[in-house]
Amino acid sequence: MRLTLHADYSLRVLMYLAVRPGRPASTQEIADSYGISKHHLVRVVQTLAQQGDVEVRPGRSGGVLLGRPPADIRLGRVVRAAEPDFHLVECFDRERNTCPIAPACGLQGVLAEARNAFLATLDRYTLEDLLRRSKPGLSDLLLTPAAPEG
């Protein structure tokens, strides 16, 4: 299983904001920190704002801030909101499934169980847990601009 860049960047934005509590950050600043596309990051921030995980303040002194305390941001919810679907294989999508063995195959149930276990694990953790589990130096790494995507 692989998360989309949208989910990956969502988690990265939250971590960036969490290490600078109460200080707004521009999307350009966050993009520079990770060496990623600002254009893509704008859509990520929109998703996070729709979920209430970030607050976007317009204006010259505005920017993006956490919309709730890190202890209230569950990783499973963030990932579910950022992912378009969790169709690990074709047969998970009933409308588009063309697999001829789907009615008799046991693989779908096993993969569904694995997906559910993955999401259940993420549900157990918050953004605050990520910060606690991080090694010293995380803030320094996040607050130093990275080399651009290439």
Side-chain angles (χ1 to χ4, degrees):
M1 184 168 162
R2 171 180 251 172
L3 294 178
T4 62
L5 285 177
H6 199 83
D8 179 15
Y9 291 175
S10 293
L11 295 168
R12 290 193 207 187
V13 166
L14 293 172
M15 289 186 70
Y16 185 90
L17 297 173
V19 300
R20 346 160 1 113
R23 292 187 291 165
S26 70
T27 51
Q28 185 64 60
E29 179 183 336
I30 299 168
D32 289 347
S33 173
Y34 288 116
I36 59 180
S37 161
K38 177 188 172 195
H39 177 72
H40 195 129
L41 209 59
V42 167
R43 291 183 304 201
V44 167
V45 168
Q46 288 172 343
T47 299
L48 291 168
Q50 288 169 354
Q51 300 300 313
D53 292 322
V54 301
E55 176 186 336
V56 179
R57 293 185 183 165
R60 188 173 188 129
S61 62
V64 184
L65 295 132
L66 286 181
R68 61 181 98 226
D72 294 342
I73 299 176
R74 292 252 161 225
L75 303 183
R77 187 181 47 72
V78 171
V79 169
R80 282 181 185 87
E83 286 295 318
D85 66 57
F86 284 95
H87 297 157
L88 301 181
V89 289
E90 180 185 357
C91 60
F92 277 39
D93 185 347
R94 292 177 191 233
E95 292 177 15
R96 295 190 179 133
N97 180 29
T98 61
C99 180
I101 65 169
C105 179
L107 181 60
Q108 182 179 11
V110 172
L111 291 176
E113 183 181 341
R115 176 203 56 209
N116 294 343
F118 172 77
L119 291 169
T121 298
L122 290 176
D123 286 336
R124 291 195 328 252
Y125 293 96
T126 66
L127 180 58
E128 185 174 275
D129 294 327
L130 282 185
L131 295 177
R132 266 193 303 236
R133 295 170 65 98
S134 296
K135 296 179 175 145
L138 176 66
S139 294
D140 294 336
L141 289 171
L142 287 175
L143 302 177
T144 303
E149 282 182 307

